[in-house]
Each structure stands twice: as C-alpha cells, then as structure tokens.
Amino acid sequence: MKEKIVNKMIDFYRGNRSDVRHFLKVYAYAQTIGLLEGLDEKTQDTLEIAAIVHDIACPLCREKYGNTNGNHQEAESEPLLRIFLSEFNIPEEMEERIIYLVTHHHTYTNVEGRDYQILLEADYLVNADESQYSHEAICKFRERVFKTESGTHMLDSIYSLTEA
C-alpha cells in the first residue's frame, strides 16, 4: 500500500521535483529512524505514510498564501488528506493518526508519541539541508526538539555537531 501512496503523491505534485525529492527524503529518514528505534509494525506504517503525505498542503499554500508557512500547512492539510487517503482503505484509527501527525508536523511542543517525534526529526534533517540552516540554528533545534537516539545521532553525524 505504501508504494501506491508514494506513486499517487508523486502524481499529486504534478512535476514539482523539489516537493517530490523532499517528501522522499523525509520518508527515507522517518523509515530509517523508526526501524532503528524499534517501532512496532503499526506505528512504523503510520509514521511512514505520514512522512509520505506530510507536505500535501504545500501546493495549495503556495497558491493561496504565496508561501508554505508551517501554520498554513497544518491548517490546510486535513481536508486534502481525507480526500487523498480515502482510496487506500486505511483503518480509521490509523488514518486519524496520520491526519493528526500531518496537521501537527510543525508543532514542536506537547509531542505525544514516538511516531510524532520521529516525523519532526526526519523533516528537520531534510529542511536543515535544503534551507541551509546555520550550525547555531541546528544546535539550538537539536537541544530543543530532538529526542530519539537514532535521529540525534544522524543529526550529529550529518552536520558534524560532535567530535568524531
């Protein structure tokens, strides 16, 4: 099923290669961190699907607001997700969790659940590179948000935050 969701998401972006690259990288990081952290199969699947669709509102936000501000994404995602996910026969509880994760993936407080934590970390790993965040900004975000051992290790290694 995830493969079909990936293909549909690629089609959804209508040739926007940047958006496609972004979600595929977030998906890969989320999948890897989840596996390294030992998530159960249901939580892992929920995380991976959320990572695939986490930026579903970006095209709409660009058109409607002229930007992809996280608050706009969170506000606009739910109706898009309900339509997008409807053809995949996802269990209702899982679908609701995916919607929750996507509509909160720019909210860094009151993080409940390892899937939520890992989605935040995976998205940041990609955003820090794509937006060329400063070393100082990455260190501050690490202190404030990163919690998983695997995500923290990746961040430290990729951005040379600790001595080898």
Side-chain angles (χ1 to χ4, degrees), residues 124 133-143 159 161:
Y124 190 82
Y133 294 159
S134 71
H135 183 81
E136 180 182 357
I138 294 168
C139 288
K140 285 182 181 179
F141 197 86
R142 178 194 190 275
E143 277 299 308
Y159 296 100
L161 301 184

Side-chain angles (χ1 to χ4, degrees), residues 36-52:
L36 289 170
E37 293 293 315
L39 295 183
D40 63 86
E41 185 177 353
K42 180 181 171 190
T43 305
Q44 181 75 28
D45 287 344
T46 302
L47 167 64
E48 289 181 23
I49 294 169
I52 294 165

Side-chain angles (χ1 to χ4, degrees), residues 125-139:
L125 283 163
V126 177
N127 287 336
D129 179 49
E130 291 176 349
S131 298
Q132 299 182 342
Y133 294 159
S134 71
H135 183 81
E136 180 182 357
I138 294 168
C139 288

Side-chain angles (χ1 to χ4, degrees), residues 10-129:
I10 290 170
D11 291 343
F12 176 84
Y13 282 127
R14 295 188 176 143
N16 185 322
R17 295 185 305 269
S18 178
D19 282 352
V20 171
R21 278 191 308 272
H22 177 82
F23 95 78
L24 288 172
K25 289 186 279 187
V26 173
Y27 172 41
Y29 278 125
Q31 180 182 55
T32 303
I33 296 169
L35 291 170
L36 289 170
E37 293 293 315
L39 295 183
D40 63 86
E41 185 177 353
K42 180 181 171 190
T43 305
Q44 181 75 28
D45 287 344
T46 302
L47 167 64
E48 289 181 23
I49 294 169
I52 294 165
V53 300
H54 79 281
D55 277 348
I56 194 166
C58 283
L60 173 65
C61 290
R62 282 187 201 101
E63 184 178 316
K64 187 173 181 178
Y65 304 105
N67 64 61
T68 58
N69 177 284
N71 293 331
H72 297 317
Q73 287 182 51
E74 289 183 347
E76 299 288 351
S77 292
E78 184 172 349
L80 297 169
L81 285 166
R82 292 211 181 272
I83 294 166
F84 185 91
L85 296 173
S86 66
E87 75 181 66
F88 295 105
N89 204 21
I90 296 170
E92 183 179 353
E93 182 182 335
M94 181 183 282
E95 183 174 322
E96 292 305 315
R97 182 63 179 171
I98 292 164
I99 290 169
Y100 179 83
L101 294 173
V102 173
T103 59
H104 290 81
H105 82 278
H106 285 281
T107 301
Y108 306 111
T109 56
N110 301 317
V111 176
E112 294 181 14
R114 295 172 76 205
D115 50 357
Y116 186 174
Q117 181 64 43
I118 293 168
L119 181 60
L120 293 177
E121 292 178 10
D123 195 30
Y124 190 82
L125 283 163
V126 177
N127 287 336
D129 179 49

